[in-house]
Amino acid sequence: MAFNFGTPSGTSGTAAATAAPAGGFGGFGTTSTTAGSAFSFSTPANTGTTGFFGSTQNKGFGFGTGFGTTTGTSTGLGTGLGTGLGFGGFNTQQQQQQQQQTTLGGLFSQPTQAPAQSNQLINTASALSAPTLLGDERDAILAKWNQLQAFWGTGKGYFNNNIPPVEFTLENPFCRFKAVGYSCMPNNKDEDGLVVLVFNKKETDIRSQQQQLVESLHKVLGGNQTLTVNVEGIKTLPDDQTEVVIYVVERSPNGTSRRVPATTLYAHFEQTNIKTQLQQLGVTLSMTRTELSPAQIKQLLQNPPAGVDPIIWEQAKVDNPDSEKLIPVPMVGFKELLRRLKVQDQMTKQHQTRLDIISEDIGELQKNQTTTMAKIAQYKRKLMDLSHRTLQVLIKQEIQRKSGYAIQADEEQLRVQLDTIQGELNAPTQFKGRLNELMSQIRMQNHFGAVKSEERYYIDGDLLREIKQHLKQQQEGLSHLISIIKDDLEDIKLVEHGLNETIHIRGGIFS
């Protein structure tokens, strides 16, 4: 029997005990006496061997001794419990409420608390407004001090000599360090069997010892060969913790397999002896990863958490950006804010790592694409070359085949057409001349383009300004030199004119 809910069989078999076939999921009140239960819900038989943790291990998938003890080879709920409690899909109202509180507490990290008693509210109000501890004006100062402690969310509020002081915690309604955030709701079914185990170890240690971890968890489950532990995912958490998501697959004797429901696996892990073994492995927290039912979501939204103003809670529900995927959760105190900040920073790093991996993959794909395009172009050229060679071979083969035969009429007609085309191509003013002209223009453009590309240069802006300044100075110097030369020319003309006049006068005298 692979999954038994039936009456445990004793030493003497009954009709109900022998009526059930060996299947993957037994019915109520039916238990096989020949095959041991691989997934039973009471105390499994003790094999007397020492297991991984140095203590006696139980075979099968037992659920502790808190529900009674039976001595048969196969045990189940039935009469072995005597209390009418069940597991998995057959839970009673008490277990459903307990599992709901565990699921909500694990998901949103906010423990479910009972509403404050009326006397506590009265004492709190007295400590904040009218303490009567000293009986004078100092009580007003004490009231202000109590208010400050209540706002901060820590300390004790003394208000009466005959009544114990009030403990101010972060959950008190007067604490000011509160906010409301949003968390993503899981969308996994209970049939998926996903259970989260939080280890107080680094991710690198978990990944390096993943196989040993799987074997240890299998031993915790009893070491049954019909059960297989699988790791769904590993994720890093703040403070050097690691989240490991697992599920257990159960194989029945007829060859079929199914996942153990998450609630059933979680209930097994929460047993005292199993929880102790998990703690020895480094597990600090275990929880199911299943979606919330509409009733659970409705109850969570209708009842504000302890210490949160209903008006703020209603506004948080209205401001929910995606009510189908997100649910409001309270953030009380700086520790919770720091925890969410660390988780967000961790997720940001994981997203960045994933983006880096995607970027590397894209770069590798681009390189592969470039290589592939180059190979395609190479194969195209090779195909063209092979096509020409094949055509040449066919021409030579056709020439040899037609050797010795007279030219036929269709061949003669084809030869005439080819001669006509060749003549048109060779005409100076026709296609050949135009092609030659185009080829000449293309060569000239290529030549000029190469020359222009070689003559291109770039001058820095500062250097260009210095060159302009230097040329300007040279220009000014040349202008000044030209003006000096002009002045000298004027002086030379005056001297020459004076000399000419002197010569003319002396010539008249001698004559």
Side-chain angles (χ1 to χ4, degrees), residues 43-62 215-224 268 273-274 276-278 280-281:
T43 306
N46 195 338
T47 60
T49 59
T50 302
F52 177 76
F53 299 97
S55 59
T56 302
Q57 300 295 316
N58 294 326
K59 293 295 182 182
F61 204 99
E215 294 176 357
S216 301
L217 291 176
H218 187 261
K219 291 181 180 180
V220 170
L221 298 177
N224 198 294
H268 176 71
N273 58 336
I274 303 299
T276 303
Q277 297 177 10
L278 291 177
Q280 293 177 0
L281 290 176

Side-chain angles (χ1 to χ4, degrees), residues 55-90:
S55 59
T56 302
Q57 300 295 316
N58 294 326
K59 293 295 182 182
F61 204 99
F63 277 81
T65 60
F67 299 97
T69 306
T70 56
T71 57
T73 57
S74 177
T75 58
L77 281 175
T79 60
L81 299 179
T83 59
L85 298 178
F87 281 89
F90 304 93

Side-chain angles (χ1 to χ4, degrees), residues 19 48 73 80 112 115 133 162 165 179 196 323 330 332-334 343 377 418 423 489:
T73 57
T112 306
L133 185 66
N162 300 324
V196 178
S323 59
V332 181
F334 292 104
V343 172
L418 290 174
L489 288 176

Side-chain angles (χ1 to χ4, degrees), residues 144-164:
K144 293 182 180 180
W145 172 249
N146 291 338
Q147 293 175 10
L148 181 61
Q149 292 185 102
F151 294 160
W152 188 264
T154 183
K156 295 181 180 181
Y158 293 89
F159 64 97
N160 195 302
N161 292 320
N162 300 324
I163 302 177

Side-chain angles (χ1 to χ4, degrees), residues 350-388:
Q350 292 181 2
H351 291 166
Q352 186 62 42
T353 303
R354 177 58 57 184
L355 289 176
D356 293 340
I357 294 174
I358 294 175
S359 178
E360 292 178 359
D361 293 342
I362 291 176
E364 189 67 24
L365 290 175
Q366 289 178 347
K367 291 180 181 178
N368 295 338
Q369 182 186 11
T370 304
T371 305
T372 304
M373 294 298 294
K375 288 183 178 180
I376 290 175
Q378 181 182 358
Y379 292 152
K380 284 183 177 180
R381 292 191 298 268
K382 188 174 182 181
L383 176 62
M384 185 67 66
D385 186 30
L386 293 176
S387 300
H388 291 167

Side-chain angles (χ1 to χ4, degrees), residues 116-361:
Q117 301 295 330
S118 59
N119 58 349
Q120 184 178 1
L121 291 177
I122 294 174
N123 295 339
T124 303
S126 300
L128 298 179
S129 59
T132 59
L133 185 66
L134 302 173
D136 53 17
E137 65 277 1
R138 291 176 294 178
D139 287 337
I141 300 176
L142 181 61
K144 293 182 180 180
W145 172 249
N146 291 338
Q147 293 175 10
L148 181 61
Q149 292 185 102
F151 294 160
W152 188 264
T154 183
K156 295 181 180 181
Y158 293 89
F159 64 97
N160 195 302
N161 292 320
N162 300 324
I163 302 177
V166 179
E167 288 282 349
F168 293 118
T169 62
L170 294 173
E171 285 75 20
N172 78 84
F174 301 99
C175 181
R176 290 294 180 266
F177 301 106
K178 295 178 182 178
V180 178
Y182 299 93
S183 294
C184 183
M185 294 186 293
N187 55 2
N188 303 103
K189 304 291 184 182
D190 186 35
E191 294 77 11
D192 296 335
L194 298 181
V195 174
V196 178
L197 299 177
V198 178
F199 289 83
N200 194 18
K201 298 180 180 180
K202 295 182 179 180
E203 181 185 3
T204 54
D205 299 337
I206 295 294
R207 291 189 180 276
S208 62
Q209 301 176 0
Q210 181 174 344
Q211 185 61 33
Q212 293 85 340
L213 176 63
V214 171
E215 294 176 357
S216 301
L217 291 176
H218 187 261
K219 291 181 180 180
V220 170
L221 298 177
N224 198 294
Q225 298 300 323
T226 60
L227 300 177
T228 304
V229 180
N230 299 275
V231 177
E232 178 73 12
I234 301 175
K235 184 175 67 174
T236 303
L237 296 179
D239 300 329
D240 292 335
Q241 292 184 339
T242 305
E243 176 187 283
V244 180
V245 182
I246 66 170
Y247 64 91
V248 177
V249 177
E250 180 188 14
R251 298 188 303 273
S252 60
N254 58 4
T256 60
S257 62
R258 58 183 290 275
R259 290 192 181 188
V260 178
T263 53
T264 304
L265 185 59
Y266 173 76
H268 176 71
F269 285 157
E270 284 299 303
Q271 296 185 29
T272 304
N273 58 336
I274 303 299
K275 198 169 185 178
T276 303
Q277 297 177 10
L278 291 177
Q279 290 176 355
Q280 293 177 0
L281 290 176
V283 177
T284 59
L285 178 65
S286 62
M287 68 186 78
T288 59
R289 178 159 289 180
T290 56
E291 64 179 356
L292 299 176
S293 64
Q296 291 175 336
I297 297 176
K298 183 177 180 181
Q299 180 182 2
L300 184 65
L301 294 178
Q302 286 180 350
N303 301 322
V308 178
D309 192 344
I311 298 177
I312 298 178
W313 187 251
E314 291 296 329
Q315 186 63 34
K317 292 191 293 184
V318 173
D319 296 338
N320 192 344
D322 190 350
S323 59
E324 298 294 332
K325 297 181 180 180
L326 302 177
I327 192 167
V329 292
M331 293 184 295
V332 181
F334 292 104
K335 290 184 179 180
E336 179 64 18
L337 182 62
L338 179 61
R339 187 191 68 82
R340 291 180 66 91
L341 181 62
K342 289 182 178 180
V343 172
Q344 183 177 1
D345 184 62
Q346 189 68 35
M347 291 301 299
T348 302
K349 291 180 179 178
Q350 292 181 2
H351 291 166
Q352 186 62 42
T353 303
R354 177 58 57 184
L355 289 176
D356 293 340
I357 294 174
I358 294 175
S359 178
E360 292 178 359
D361 293 342

